[in-house]
Amino acid sequence: MSVSIKSEHEIELMRHAGHLLEQVHDELASHIKPGISTKELDRIGEDMIRSMGCIPNFKNYQGFPASFCISLNDEVVHGIPSRQKIIQEGDLVKIDAGLIYKGYHSDSAKTHGVGVISEEDRKLIEVAKESFYEGIKFAKLGYRLSDISHAIQAHVEKHGFSVVRDLVGHGVGVDLHEDPQIPNYGPAGKGPRLQEGMVLAIEPMINAGRYQVKTLADGWTIVTVDGKKSAHYEHTIAITNDEPIILSSL
Ligand code: MG
Ligand code: MG
């Protein structure tokens, strides 16, 4: 495993990529309403990314047929946008988005509740986000990679939810998925020591029920085995000599 270290200039480019990506998320969030299809959201987002002079990095990635992964309810990640998938009141909508700006990737994901959602669903969304912030308390010099993983798992399980095992966070840079892999669970104190200039996509995927997931026959969509709901929260961050910088936020 080789973890690439980014220069200050590269991190500046990635910060710009992340700012653009956050604007795309904001635009999509304003369109998430009952009646819109996930295909339409994908089109709106792709048009916006291209109008920024950027490239949607998920499109054709290992053959993925759209620009965004849009996953509903018990779908964990990698949902394929479709005209047949119409958003409804009460849905959990996970948008995983990425773009390339001047050769550098940014990657982030959010979960939205549509209209009135249940208290448990609200909590699931909140705990996914909180667990990201718990994790990055350890995204600093002096810690090892799995200190992040462990903090995420501890927070999620404290609230009675489970952490998906089969999918992990990752390094990001000139490639969408670089080393290292970053599980959202496991013992603390393992893996590489964190170094200034590492850029990582930290992305807890958490389930309301059991952690097991499976892939649907379309070859992409990952769903919970027990049919319960799932939430996802992701940002691209940079390790510095002080606090981490969340590159994919404004
Ligand atoms: Mg992502
Ligand atoms: Mg990612």
Side-chain angles (χ1 to χ4, degrees):
M1 181 177 70
S2 71
V3 179
S4 86
I5 298 297
K6 275 79 181 176
S7 68
E8 267 181 48
H9 175 65
E10 289 178 295
I11 288 174
E12 262 324 297
L13 291 175
M14 294 189 76
R15 192 203 287 264
H16 194 73
H19 287 183
L20 295 173
L21 185 59
E22 185 74 351
Q23 291 170 43
V24 174
H25 271 294
D26 286 349
E27 178 67 19
L28 287 179
S30 74
H31 290 277
I32 296 177
K33 295 198 175 86
I36 193 167
S37 73
T38 59
K39 180 80 182 173
E40 180 65 4
L41 289 172
D42 184 71
R43 186 196 61 75
I44 292 166
E46 177 172 351
D47 286 353
M48 188 169 176
I49 288 174
R50 294 199 189 279
S51 76
M52 291 166 158
C54 299
I55 300 166
N57 52 6
F58 297 172
K59 192 141 200 177
N60 302 320
Y61 183 83
Q62 295 179 357
F64 188 75
S67 295
F68 294 80
C69 297
I70 307 181
S71 310
L72 305 181
N73 301 319
D74 65 320
E75 297 170 351
V76 179
V77 285
H78 304 168
I80 301 173
S82 162
R83 264 177 247 292
Q84 275 73 49
K85 284 200 172 163
I86 308 295
I87 288 177
Q88 308 201 16
E89 175 91 12
D91 279 349
L92 294 196
V93 180
K94 283 138 278 180
I95 299 206
D96 194 352
L99 57 76
I100 307 170
Y101 168 74
K102 295 193 175 174
Y104 287 86
H105 291 253
S106 194
D107 185 10
S108 65
K110 295 174 197 289
T111 300
H112 303 273
V114 182
V116 179
I117 60 172
S118 72
E119 180 55 26
E120 190 190 40
D121 289 352
R122 192 193 59 74
K123 191 78 192 159
L124 187 69
I125 294 173
E126 189 176 289
V127 169
K129 181 175 181 176
E130 287 170 359
S131 71
F132 165 85
Y133 285 98
E134 288 299 315
I136 67 165
K137 286 180 181 171
F138 297 89
K140 292 181 202 175
L141 304 187
Y143 292 106
R144 287 181 183 270
L145 190 66
S146 86
D147 293 323
I148 299 172
S149 314
H150 184 71
I152 290 170
Q153 179 180 22
H155 187 76
V156 171
E157 294 183 351
K158 186 172 81 184
H159 290 280
F161 299 130
S162 66
V163 170
V164 172
R165 277 21 177 196
D166 295 6
L167 298 142
V168 297
H170 50 94
V172 54
V174 292
D175 290 312
L176 174 57
H177 294 120
E178 299 185 353
D179 286 336
Q181 294 200 346
I182 312 166
N184 296 299
Y185 67 98
K190 310 278 184 198
R193 289 187 185 282
L194 297 173
Q195 290 178 57
E196 187 175 356
M198 286 181 175
V199 178
L200 308 172
I202 308 290
E203 50 176 316
M205 290 151 268
I206 77 170
N207 294 346
R210 292 187 296 125
Y211 69 77
Q212 285 85 356
V213 298
K214 63 181 180 184
T215 308
L216 295 185
D218 63 21
W220 282 104
T221 314
I222 310 272
V223 298
T224 59
V225 169
D226 63 13
K228 294 193 176 175
K229 287 180 182 162
S230 187
H232 186 195
Y233 192 82
E234 176 183 35
H235 274 300
T236 298
I237 68 159
I239 308 293
T240 73
N241 61 8
D242 190 22
E243 296 294 318
I245 305 169
I246 300 175
L247 300 173
S248 54
S249 82
L250 293 172

